[in-house]
Amino acid sequence: MAKIPYRFYLTEEQMPKQWYNLRADMKEQPDPLLNPADLKPLKEEDLYPIFCKELAHQEMDSETAYYDIPDEILEMYKIYRPSPLIRAYNLEKELGTPAKIYYKFEGNNTSGSHKLNSAIAQAYYAKKQGLTSLTTETGAGQWGTALSEACSYFKLPLTVFMVKCSYEQKPFRKAIMQTFDANVIPSPSNTTEVGRKILESNPDTTGSLGCAISEAVEKAVTTEGCRYVLGSVLNQVLLHQSIIGLEAEKAMNILGEYPDVVIGCAGGGSNLGGLIAPFMRDKIKGEKDIRIVAVEPASCPSFTRGKYAYDFCDTGKVTPMAKMYTLGCSFMPSANHAGGLRYHGMSPILSKLYHDGYMEAVSYEQTKVFEAAKLFARVETILPAPESSHAIRCAIDEALKCKETGEEKTILFGLTGTGYFDMTAYNAFNEGTMSDYIPTDEDLQKGFDALPKVE
Ligand SMILES: *Cc1c(COP(=O)(O)O)cnc(C)c1O
């Protein structure tokens, strides 16, 4: 067999033409979304006021295993996909490990992350339905950037409610979104009722993700032809992100490889759910015995210390309730947390798989994560996003274990994006001012006490 190349790209013909819906092969389904008003399971039609129809259908469909990707979406995917599958020869050498390390790099587009894969799909279906605008919220700005890119491509007006402190601290994120013609509004704003109320009682607030979601949802339901879109957690987002795993599986297959361990960072679970989709399918069917590992920050440990319970998907409690691993919807990581992945809950699909023992989870403190990021940047010459660096940390530790045992394992991890807008965090690490904080059991208990009572 010829030597495996450093960077491997599928050809255009080899690119997957379908997404894969993991729910179709799960032995047991995740619990249904509930309407908070009467605690009854939601029906597809109940979602129509918030999501466009095709996306509402995808959200509820647990039976169709493969969805044809519409040609218009494939055309845009081709601009920046396939993403490369990279053999981390340099990292392997640096670690002196017998393990083979591969990573799937999703940072090769202007948005700098995997989020564009779902943004394109969501913008396309909205346009196709004849909707005339979309709204969303963004915290750090990656999702808002990806959606701005997709909406400008499909000529669909977009309003982004950006948490006010990010709006002020990340002017370049805002500038990219505006370049792609998005209307970026610092939240809370006086353009919505909920925003005006918050400003009245707290004029100096710097905003929160929960507040931005509430504003975006209000704008969607009160504007003709407008819908709200979300960049993670949802089943439809995991479906779109399956393109990552399907490409990785196909590329590895061509190279004569199959992973023993698949590793991904977990915020709301969309990149991880997408990366593992085909490998989890093989595992569920009993065809492969592999390990699948979710990596999260010790300061926001939804899987490793959260509760599997019904909770709201947002801090503002305007969304349906989902059964998931959660820290409680009012949970906020401590102020010194810089590594992203700060969402309180986790994808219901991944939560169910974790609960049923199909996957593992680990957590790391952020200084350990940035150490790994710096080592990786030096030898692989890509500046990783702090989020992605959680997966790097875990892959390095797995490779070091192989060094001890002499096992030649094949490790695959997801490198979800680049870190150019996170230089404040890198600065803190380089200057030695970055610190770690692990919430105490008492800290977490406050979030659990506030969980909605559903029985
Ligand atoms: C948003 C983001 C994540 C986390 O989101 P998931 O839905 O858990 O995948 C990870 N990496 C990058 C670069 C991101 O922008």
Side-chain angles (χ1 to χ4, degrees), residues 87-101:
R87 173 76 185 269
Y89 283 116
N90 289 347
L91 182 60
E92 291 170 18
K93 198 158 114 200
E94 175 75 18
L95 301 174
T97 176
K100 292 186 268 185
I101 307 174

Side-chain angles (χ1 to χ4, degrees), residues 374 423-434:
K374 203 165 163 167
M423 298 325 291
T424 315
Y426 272 96
N427 255 344
F429 178 72
N430 291 333
E431 288 165 4
T433 55
M434 178 177 278

Side-chain angles (χ1 to χ4, degrees), residues 112-115 142 232 265-272 341 385 387-388 416-417:
S113 82
H114 66 286
K115 290 198 172 71
Q142 287 105 315
S232 183
C265 64
S270 74
N271 88 83
L272 180 65
L341 310 172
E387 291 89 345
S388 324
T416 50

Side-chain angles (χ1 to χ4, degrees), residues 256-392:
E257 294 278 33
Y258 194 93
D260 299 299
V261 192
V262 184
I263 299 166
C265 64
S270 74
N271 88 83
L272 180 65
L275 174 69
I276 68 174
F279 305 108
M280 183 61 91
R281 173 196 61 207
D282 295 352
K283 181 168 174 138
I284 290 172
K285 290 186 170 176
E287 289 164 8
K288 297 281 181 188
D289 181 22
I290 60 166
R291 288 175 52 219
I292 291 172
V293 188
V295 193
E296 59 187 17
S299 51
C300 189
S302 326
F303 267 138
T304 49
R305 294 174 70 199
K307 287 241 185 316
Y308 188 45
Y310 269 104
D311 195 7
F312 291 94
C313 299
D314 67 309
T315 323
K317 304 186 180 182
V318 296
T319 58
M321 293 193 290
K323 178 98 173 259
M324 58 185 172
Y325 277 86
T326 178
L327 299 166
C329 68
S330 53
F331 179 84
M332 298 267 174
S334 61
N336 69 348
H337 174 73
L341 310 172
R342 40 173 53 245
Y343 186 61
H344 68 275
M346 188 54 66
S347 142
I349 295 177
L350 295 187
S351 291
K352 177 68 178 160
L353 289 165
Y354 179 67
H355 191 68
D356 291 349
Y358 287 100
M359 52 190 274
E360 309 161 28
V362 291
S363 71
Y364 285 104
E365 291 164 50
Q366 59 184 357
T367 49
K368 289 265 172 281
V369 168
F370 276 82
E371 264 168 35
K374 203 165 163 167
L375 172 80
F376 181 86
R378 178 162 61 76
V379 297
E380 294 290 322
T381 74
I382 294 173
L383 181 81
E387 291 89 345
S388 324
S389 305
H390 288 75
I392 298 175

Side-chain angles (χ1 to χ4, degrees), residues 167-184:
Y167 183 91
E168 282 156 8
Q169 285 164 10
K170 295 194 167 187
F172 296 132
R173 272 278 176 214
K174 175 180 64 189
I176 301 183
M177 289 187 256
Q178 288 168 336
T179 304
F180 284 109
D181 281 337
N183 173 23
V184 187

